[in-house]
Structure formats: structure tokens, C-alpha cells
Amino acid sequence: MRRIAALVLAVLIGTSALVVPAGGVVATVRNLAVGATATASDSLAKFEPGKAIDGNSSTYWAASDGAKPKWLRVDLGRIRQLTSVEQNFKDVDTHSFLIEGSVDGNGWSALLDRRTGARGQVFTQPVTGSYRYLRLTITGSAAGYWAGSAEFVITGYDDEPRNLARGVSATSSSLGPGYEPFKAVDGDPASYWGAEKSSMPQWLMLDLGNDIAVSRIEQSFVDNDRWKFRVEGSRDKVSWQTLMDKDETGRVFGQDVNGTYRYVKLTVLSSGAGHWACSQELKVFGSGEPVTTKWWESRSGVMRYYPIWQNLRLDTITAQLDSLKARGFRAIELSPVNDGDRDLWAGLPVMNLYAIDPDIGSMQDFEELLAAAHARDLKVIIFTNPGYASINSPYFQKAQDDFRNGVQSVERSWFDIRPQRGEYPELWHYSSRAQGYYWGTWDAKAPSFNYSSQAWLEEARKYLRFWMDKGVDGIALDAPNVYHTTTLPKNNYAITDVLRNYDAFMNGEGVRSPEFISDWHYNSLQDYGITQWAVPPGQGSSAILSAIDSGDPSGLENTLKNYRDLMVNAGGITQTAPNWGRTNYPVDRRLLEIAMLTSMGTLFYLHNDYYTILPDEQEIPNWSAAQRALLDKLIRAQNASPALAPLGLRVRIPTNDDHKYYAYKRLDKSGTSKALVLLNFQGTPQTVSVDLTGTGIATSQTPTDLVESQPGPPITGTTYQVQLPAYGFKVLSVQ
């Protein structure tokens, strides 16, 4: 999308960088909609109007129903000289719409009028003139799609310095619940980072992702006070250069600087009136391209291990890292590693919160695994469990003894033990050792930790910090929505706000509502809309396998809109594994399933080449060498193009028969990288045809076949035909 706008501007002004508009003032041309204010006639929950102007192709505004007309209005804040407007719909269709501009919000001038209807998804129009308000009015859709906008781009001259820190990764020495470090770089003056306690010094650190030529730093506090603080810059987080050193009264402080840095660190040393350390906004001005995409949004291919259940030592996994990376994997998950009860759920019931299970190695083995993975640019996730312990754990044994003896102890407070059963009597289990009843959500062998206990909340925070401080890149948690007596505030205080202070990957296993992303603060959920796998002999369900079995994929687009897109609009991603509950499924059909999973926009998982968590049940190891090689090619293909990342937009492109084939365009978060995916759901070879009119895909090019790493079938016009074998696919990088 942005590529098209840039090409239009290059024709108009000869450059897409510095330009001189009519007033003679040097300015840059950029998307002025990002950072502006959007309102709409109405919107679907989680698909608010601001999603159309956030510069993120993944998210989009959608109206609350199918009625039309609907409108989207953008306020640029002041009158700006424009160069173009661009409307990106979510779907390819014949759309009817009008884009207008106004200086005062009253009189409107037509800038792009397609009320008679035009086919496509991307519509761009050069503009001359100055406006403050832009309005998109959608009047029709031939296919009946609801009104919406994946991205409403308004390019024009900008003579204001650009804050490069907005949206970058931020971490801090501590945080008060609800005052996370990222709120110092979100561009919202109503939010801010705040320390957890009054003691100082406290620090806030930004990672710009790349070396940036910095020209100015601005720091704003919440309160006017005498603040003593310093701001430093570094390229490696080892050597630091002081950029600003203040001991002055005020609220907003600025300093012109000159240097190249990746990391910027604010250290608050004192406050005259005793205000706690905070930052309403830490701004970094300069030139360069900061990175705002998180690692789990931009890479895929996760190999999940069950080391305790599989008797798999950590040093054995370390020895496999080179092979894993060559196969295309970019992360591993260990489920779990801390000492657990191997007789239940792969070792998840906790025996020791802070030790490696001795049967799989030592803490030194774990630290060496982390170091080896990071040296290969592989991320490490641990699947862990602050939800329940083993009935044989020393924690629960002491809790039982202390309850029986009437002793108030930390361990006793960690569990809910009572003289009599409470509500839901089937979940209260009698302990002869305690001479009382304890709560166990899942099993009598797994007493639940008590989230009504402040002592346990503090221990959970300590536990998560312990493992994050080891250097892991993310944590997945076992069904956090049903931790005993948990609530949203307790979850955020004890779990997700702690992890957000590390800017970490956070998966809430077993939960499936967008509120667990927007409110509970997890940033990844399993895609239960597309696949609900099960441990054999249970089959679970799979929308993809059902489409393969029926030969009709026409319902898959709505399935993805209703779950995957909803989670992305809430602020997260989805993660998905093949549905191994369908045992011994034909391999050609299985590979079609995996081709879609690795291209549709999700974090793709495999389970140590097993089709379930049971180590004695295998499927992939029985495939032929060619079939296994194709699996690896698909995993490598997902990481070969940013367009196939877990985050990003998916645009369905109609085929010659949508009841037989499924085709879509994929975009990365920035909208600059494109891929075209064609899937044949028939058991016979087929010719799949797509019309590329208005899709933003160039109609004269030779795409790259990302699976085979070779040129794909040439595109020579708006009609593109590809021959696909039975259950075959093409995943193409396109311009």
C-alpha cells in the first residue's frame, strides 16, 4: 500500500524524502493520518476507526453492520498541504465510495469519487490542495461486505520533527500496575509510565531497534516539580553517553543532541516534592527507521518440546539448534523446564518453582541452552505454570501440616485449605494429612495456588521475574483464566504486567476471548477459530481439514475474520499448530493444511515432530524424505518474506471458483511487502485463476516461489492463471 503512494509521490515531486512545498520551507512527505484523530459513523467492537489510520496494515476499521452509507472522518489537527489519498479496503470487490477534504469541517471538496463503483482493494489519487479534515463515505459493495478501511492513507508535507520513539520497545526498573513502560511511548498524553514504588533511582529504557542519528531528546513528567534526572544513549547497552543531565524545576525538558544511538535510557534520581519516578512521554527526534514490530509478530516456526515427559535432556536440545534453524525454525518452546510432576500433564504440576527438573539437566544446562539459542538468533519460550502445584510438592506438604497444626505460614496461604467444602464441592478434595479440604481445579493431584492470597500474588511475581531474568524471550501459561479465584486485576498485577515490563511474548493457553489481549494483556492466543486440536483418540476440530475433506474452502475467510482478525485488532497475534487429532491424515492433505497455516498470518507450531504431546505417538517421522523436506520448505518460506509474518493483513482475492480454491494477498505490518497465496482444495490437478485488478499487485512481473526458492509463473496481465496439483499450493513473493 505504502509502495503505491511512494511511487505516486515520486512522479509528482521527484523524491519521497525532503521536498520544498509552496511556502519554501523544507519538509518531508509522510502519511499524515498516523497520529491523527479518527471518528466514524459506527464501528464493530475491537474494529474502531483509529485502526484505519494507525500505520499498521494488520488492523482495520469495520462498521457495526452491513447498512450503508457509513463514514470515516480524520482530523489532521491543522490544515496540511496534501499530495495524495489512498483507501485500502479489507476485501477485493466492486466498491462505491467518496473521499472528500475540508478546511473547517463544513464545506467539503471531492478528492476521489468512485460512487459509480470500481473494482479492487487499493485506490490511490494524487491531490493538490490543503485540508484539515478528510472524510471517507462508503456507499456500496457488490458482494455485500460491511463498510471498513484497512488503511486510510493521507500523504502530505510535514514540517514538524518526527518522534522516532513512538511505539518502540520500552522496559523499566519497575512499574505500577496500569503504568507500564510502553505508555511513555504511545503518543497518548493521558497515559504514562510510573514506577512501582517511591524509592529512587528508577529507570526507563527504549530500544529503537536500529542505530538512529539523534538530534533532540524531550522528557515530560506528569507533575511540575524539581526533577533530578539524566538521559543517556548507547549503541550496545554497555557504553553510555550522557545526552541530558538536569536538576531543575519544570515538567517538560528538552535538549538538542548529536550522536547515533539504538538505546535511550532515562534515569530519575529524585523529586523535590516526593513524586514517584514517571514519564508521560520520552521523545527521541532524529533520522532513521526505528523498529516497532515485536519478535513474535515478525517471525514464526516454533518447535515445542516436552522435555520432562519425553525424558529429553536440555543439552540434547542444545545440540539440535543448528539443525532447527536450518529447517526454518526461529524459536523453541520448552513445556516446562522447572521441576514438575512427570506423572501429570507433561510435568506441569510444580514441584520446585525455581529449579530445573533434575532428570532433564541443571540450571547451567538451561543457561547454556539460552546462550546457544540466542547466539543463533533463536528465541526461547518457556511454558510454565503458576496455577497449581503437585500434591507431592514440599510447598503443599508444608501447607497441609501447617493447616492441621493451626500454623499460619506463607506456604499455607499459597493454597485454599478449609475445614469444609465450599462452593462447587466436586472441586474440593479431602486431605487426611491436612484434615481439611483443598481446592484443585483440574485434579486432586494438582492443588491450585490461591490468587486471593497476597502472599501468593507476590510469589507469582517473583517466580516470573526469576525466569525472565534468566533471559527467556517469552512465557506461555497454562489456562490462566481459571487460576483459582483469579480476576483481571489479579492477573495483571501478578502476571502480565510483570511480563510486559520485559516486553515479552505472553501466551494465555486455553483462553479465546479478545479481552484477554486488550484487557488481560496477553499478546498471543491459540487460534481456536481455525483449529481446536485434541489429544488422540479425540480429534478436536479443524476448519481447514473440514474444508479439505469437503473440497469447499469458501467459509475459511469468514472463520479467519471472526477469530484471527479479531485477536489482531485487539492487539495480539494467534498461534496455531496442525490438527494432529486427525491421526494418520493423508500427507498431501496435511501439507496443504500446513501451507495455509504458514501463510495465513499466525505463529506456526510443531510439537517435536510428534503429532501430540504423547512421546510414543508419531506421525511426521513416518513421512517420506520428500514430504519432510516440503514441510521444512514451508517453514522456511514463512520466514523468507515479511509478508507472511504472524502480523499483517490478509486480503482474499476471488478465484474462478471460490468453492474449490482459496487465494489471498498477504502484507507485512508496514504494508510494503506482499505475497500471493493460491491453494487448491481439490483432489485433482486444477487451473486456478485470479483477477489482480485493483489488488495492488503489479501485473507485469516474475514472482518468486517462496517454497521452492525459484522464479514462479510470470504475471503478464490482470488475469493470472496457475496450474496446481491435487491439494497443491503456490506461495509467491510479489511486487
Side-chain angles (χ1 to χ4, degrees):
M1 295 183 287
R2 250 61 71 208
R3 172 182 290 272
I4 293 174
L7 291 174
V8 171
L9 294 178
V11 172
L12 290 173
I13 61 180
T15 178
S16 58
L18 295 178
V19 295
V20 183
V25 178
V26 174
T28 57
V29 173
R30 71 170 183 89
N31 180 7
L32 301 176
V34 176
T37 302
T39 54
S41 51
D42 53 64
S43 60
L44 197 64
K46 307 301 180 186
F47 294 82
E48 303 86 356
K51 302 292 175 61
I53 61 166
D54 57 4
N56 179 356
S57 79
S58 319
T59 59
Y60 53 95
W61 163 61
S64 61
D65 57 44
K68 296 181 182 69
K70 302 283 189 180
W71 55 263
L72 174 75
R73 176 167 155 160
V74 177
D75 180 359
L76 299 177
R78 61 183 175 88
I79 295 174
R80 300 289 190 96
Q81 186 177 348
L82 304 188
T83 55
S84 73
V85 292
E86 179 179 296
Q87 159 61 0
N88 295 265
F89 288 96
K90 174 63 179 71
D91 301 282
V92 175
D93 190 21
T94 297
H95 298 281
S96 303
F97 66 97
L98 172 67
I99 297 176
E100 302 167 283
S102 173
V103 296
D104 57 6
N106 295 313
W108 294 88
S109 301
L111 305 180
L112 175 58
D113 191 344
R114 293 291 184 271
R115 283 175 290 182
T116 58
R119 187 187 187 281
Q121 181 246 335
V122 181
F123 299 88
T124 305
Q125 179 67 41
V127 172
T128 58
S130 297
Y131 305 95
R132 172 175 173 173
Y133 302 96
L134 281 296
R135 184 171 66 188
L136 164 70
T137 304
I138 300 173
T139 57
S141 159
Y145 293 122
W146 292 12
S149 178
E151 203 72 14
F152 188 38
V153 182
I154 305 164
T155 55
Y157 297 108
D158 185 21
D159 56 3
E160 295 180 348
R162 180 183 172 207
N163 175 20
L164 301 176
R166 184 166 178 174
V168 302
S169 293
T171 56
S172 61
S173 53
S174 69
L175 63 89
Y179 302 95
E180 298 84 10
F182 76 88
K183 292 185 176 178
V185 293
D186 63 358
D188 183 356
S191 66
Y192 59 91
W193 163 67
E196 182 182 24
K197 49 192 175 183
S198 61
S199 62
M200 297 195 195
Q202 298 278 350
W203 55 262
L204 169 73
M205 185 169 65
L206 311 184
D207 180 359
L208 303 173
N210 289 314
D211 286 344
I212 298 293
V214 179
S215 59
R216 183 171 175 81
I217 299 289
E218 291 183 5
Q219 157 60 13
S220 58
F221 292 96
V222 176
D223 301 287
N224 190 77
D225 194 2
R226 185 174 184 89
W227 293 100
K228 184 176 182 181
F229 69 95
R230 67 174 177 267
V231 178
E232 302 166 281
S234 174
R235 300 179 76 168
D236 57 8
K237 285 201 295 187
V238 176
S239 300
W240 293 89
Q241 176 76 35
T242 299
L243 306 180
M244 189 190 313
D245 194 348
K246 300 286 186 181
D247 186 358
E248 299 176 7
T249 298
R251 192 184 71 82
V252 181
F253 302 87
Q255 181 75 50
D256 291 335
V257 300
N258 183 18
T260 300
Y261 310 100
R262 171 175 173 173
Y263 303 96
V264 175
K265 184 177 182 180
L266 163 71
T267 303
V268 184
L269 301 169
S270 67
S271 156
H275 290 113
W276 292 16
C278 63
S279 178
Q280 186 179 55
E281 201 78 15
L282 180 55
K283 297 181 179 180
V284 180
F285 300 95
S287 58
E289 287 299 325
V291 175
T292 59
T293 303
K294 312 301 183 184
W295 73 259
W296 55 89
E297 298 172 343
S298 62
R299 63 170 68 193
S300 188
V302 182
M303 181 63 83
R304 175 184 283 178
Y305 293 96
Y306 298 89
I308 296 174
W309 207 343
Q310 296 172 236
N311 292 309
L312 184 63
R313 292 190 59 84
L314 297 178
D315 53 8
T316 301
I317 298 174
T318 302
Q320 296 177 3
L321 294 179
D322 285 329
S323 173
L324 283 175
K325 185 167 184 180
R327 292 177 59 192
F329 291 94
R330 293 297 177 263
I332 63 171
E333 182 179 289
L334 307 173
S335 178
V337 291
N338 60 281
D339 192 4
D341 187 345
R342 68 176 56 255
D343 293 329
L344 202 60
W345 308 320
L348 279 172
V350 171
M351 292 290 289
N352 189 324
L353 291 162
Y354 301 100
I356 296 295
D357 189 291
D359 288 339
I360 66 171
S362 64
M363 187 61 74
Q364 181 178 344
D365 293 328
F366 179 67
E367 292 168 350
E368 290 175 354
L369 171 57
L370 277 172
H374 291 159
R376 292 159 175 79
D377 192 29
L378 296 171
K379 302 297 184 180
V380 179
I381 305 165
I382 60 171
F383 192 110
T384 191
N385 170 39
Y388 47 87
S390 167
I391 196 172
N392 299 314
S393 69
Y395 309 127
F396 188 59
Q397 290 175 359
K398 187 173 188 304
Q400 292 174 95
D401 293 341
D402 291 342
F403 180 84
R404 184 186 66 247
N405 296 325
V407 175
Q408 295 296 333
S409 66
V410 169
E411 290 82 2
R412 175 178 170 179
S413 71
W414 286 2
F415 302 92
D416 194 350
I417 308 177
R418 303 181 184 182
Q420 301 295 330
R421 288 186 174 96
E423 191 178 9
Y424 305 107
E426 69 277 8
L427 300 181
W428 292 93
H429 311 284
Y430 183 72
S431 164
S432 57
R433 180 168 181 166
Q435 296 179 12
Y437 294 86
Y438 64 91
W439 179 278
T441 301
W442 299 108
D443 195 280
K445 296 179 181 178
S448 298
F449 290 121
N450 183 11
Y451 276 75
S452 291
S453 163
Q454 186 63 33
W456 173 250
L457 295 180
E458 297 304 325
E459 193 67 28
R461 289 166 63 86
K462 175 185 173 184
Y463 167 66
L464 294 173
R465 284 170 172 161
F466 174 85
W467 291 101
M468 289 305 305
D469 286 341
K470 290 293 179 183
V472 300
D473 303 291
I475 287 182
L477 295 111
D478 181 38
N481 57 317
V482 294
Y483 289 168
H484 182 45
T485 68
T486 193
T487 61
L488 185 153
K490 293 175 186 177
N491 171 88
N492 292 4
Y493 175 77
I495 298 175
T496 49
D497 287 354
V498 174
L499 297 176
R500 291 217 284 187
N501 205 31
Y502 293 88
D503 204 19
F505 170 83
M506 295 175 284
N507 172 248
E509 186 273 334
V511 300
R512 57 190 71 192
S513 167
E515 285 72 29
F516 281 92
I517 293 175
S518 59
D519 301 333
W520 292 63
H521 299 163
Y522 293 93
N523 51 40
S524 174
L525 299 183
Q526 291 173 213
D527 194 335
Y528 286 106
I530 208 75
T531 293
Q532 298 185 39
W533 59 88
V535 177
Q539 292 191 347
S541 64
S542 169
I544 299 177
L545 297 190
S546 295
I548 294 173
D549 292 341
S550 67
D552 184 355
S554 59
L556 290 176
E557 178 65 20
N558 282 339
T559 298
L560 289 171
K561 284 182 177 179
N562 292 334
Y563 193 95
R564 184 266 179 191
D565 292 0
L566 177 60
M567 299 309 168
V568 169
N569 269 268
I573 64 163
T574 59
Q575 63 180 73
T576 316
N579 181 274
W580 299 117
R582 297 287 299 273
T583 59
N584 299 312
Y585 197 69
V587 180
D588 56 351
R589 303 184 193 186
R590 177 69 72 193
L591 287 168
L592 175 59
E593 175 198 23
I594 294 173
M596 180 170 166
L597 292 177
T598 53
S599 64
M600 72 182 199
T602 191
L603 188 62
F604 178 71
Y605 268 68
L606 278 184
H607 299 75
N608 195 31
D609 283 354
Y610 295 97
Y611 69 110
T612 179
I613 58 178
L614 302 178
D616 58 340
E617 294 180 332
Q618 303 180 4
E619 181 166 322
I620 294 178
N622 299 325
W623 291 6
S624 71
Q627 291 165 339
R628 288 177 61 88
L630 183 52
L631 168 63
D632 292 346
K633 288 179 181 180
L634 286 167
I635 297 171
R636 287 194 293 269
Q638 186 173 15
N639 290 300
S641 171
L644 300 180
L647 201 62
L649 188 68
R650 179 201 68 263
V651 178
R652 186 183 70 85
I653 299 178
T655 69
N656 49 320
D657 191 338
D658 289 338
H659 289 280
K660 293 182 177 180
Y661 324 117
Y662 187 23
Y664 45 85
K665 178 180 74 171
R666 283 296 318 280
L667 296 169
D668 66 342
K669 178 182 177 181
S670 69
T672 55
S673 182
K674 302 186 187 76
L676 175 62
V677 180
L678 303 107
L679 308 169
N680 175 22
F681 283 72
Q682 305 305 303
T684 57
Q686 298 286 318
T687 300
V688 180
S689 177
V690 290
D691 183 352
L692 300 179
T693 302
T695 62
I697 297 175
T699 55
S700 178
Q701 61 170 303
T702 299
T704 299
D705 187 322
L706 291 169
V707 178
E708 299 298 338
S709 300
Q710 64 186 22
I715 299 175
T716 59
T718 56
T719 299
Y720 185 48
Q721 290 187 337
V722 175
Q723 307 296 320
L724 294 180
Y727 304 115
F729 43 83
K730 283 291 182 185
V731 183
L732 306 170
S733 176
V734 295
Q735 302 297 315

